[in-house]
Amino acid sequence: MAAALVFASGAAQAADKVDCSRLDLKFPPADKAVWVECYAHHYSKGEEEANADAEALIADIGTHVVHLTSVVAGRNTYFDKVPVSRKLSAYDELEDMTDVATEPGYDRYQIVRFRASLWKSETDCVGFLKYGGATIGQGGTSYGARSYLAGYDCWRNGAPDRAQIEATLDAIDD
């Protein structure tokens, strides 16, 4: 039977800072970023226990900051599906989240808009979450997702319009 795994949406504790070119997670506008940091982490409770690989990219693109986290479950592991707002609560840098409102989905992404303080600056943000695959047991029942991609895009000078939101989501290559 699969073991449930709880894994934070943000960069995991004890994550290793890595060269961004090493990650499978790509975000093309990041090459125009003021700064970019990337992290990789392997979570494991033991060889036959719950395990997962996580990658995180944080990019300051000048007008906005993007933080992406991609997590893929290992053998005998799955993720319980939770709302995007719950995944966002794991990003420690987002403080004082207010005005959280659901936005229509896009290309299997759950989307919310919200306001938050990001590094002591007020920002207008969009949070997103997309689950991938499902763990199917021998009896044909689904235990949960095999992977997820979560993150946010916070803008410094006004809220992004729908076209900007869709452009960001289209740029993510998970």
Side-chain angles (χ1 to χ4, degrees):
M1 185 166 161
L5 176 69
V6 177
F7 195 83
S9 293
Q13 289 182 351
D16 297 319
K17 189 171 181 179
V18 297
D19 177 3
C20 293
S21 65
R22 288 185 46 208
L23 296 183
D24 290 334
L25 185 63
K26 296 186 178 33
F27 185 67
D31 61 354
K32 296 170 183 59
V34 176
W35 63 261
V36 179
E37 290 186 2
C38 293
Y39 300 88
H41 179 71
H42 178 76
Y43 171 87
S44 180
K45 283 190 170 183
E47 206 168 298
E48 294 297 318
E49 298 294 322
N51 63 83
D53 289 305
E55 297 176 341
L57 177 143
I58 306 167
D60 185 334
I61 304 173
T63 56
H64 57 117
V65 174
V66 177
H67 189 159
L68 306 174
T69 305
S70 175
V71 184
V72 177
R75 191 170 159 236
N76 299 324
T77 308
Y78 65 91
F79 301 105
D80 291 330
K81 292 184 177 182
V82 298
V84 63
S85 56
R86 185 160 159 205
K87 288 283 185 205
L88 291 172
S89 66
Y91 290 104
D92 294 337
E93 67 271 24
L94 293 175
E95 297 177 341
D96 304 322
M97 288 178 54
T98 61
D99 303 329
V100 179
T102 301
E103 179 85 10
Y106 177 74
D107 194 27
R108 292 186 18 243
Y109 282 98
Q110 297 173 28
I111 304 170
V112 294
R113 284 186 183 263
F114 59 97
R115 294 190 47 79
S117 176
L118 177 63
W119 303 310
K120 308 296 183 213
S121 296
E122 290 302 313
T123 58
D124 292 291
C125 304
V126 175
F128 45 85
L129 171 63
K130 177 169 72 170
Y131 288 103
T135 301
I136 308 297
Q138 288 181 339
T141 57
S142 174
Y143 292 114
R146 294 281 303 151
S147 65
Y148 68 83
L149 181 101
Y152 65 79
D153 188 5
C154 288
W155 292 71
R156 293 183 171 100
N157 297 314
D161 63 17
R162 184 64 188 205
Q164 290 168 320
I165 295 168
E166 291 179 9
T168 298
L169 296 177
D170 283 341
I172 298 168
D173 179 37
D174 65 330

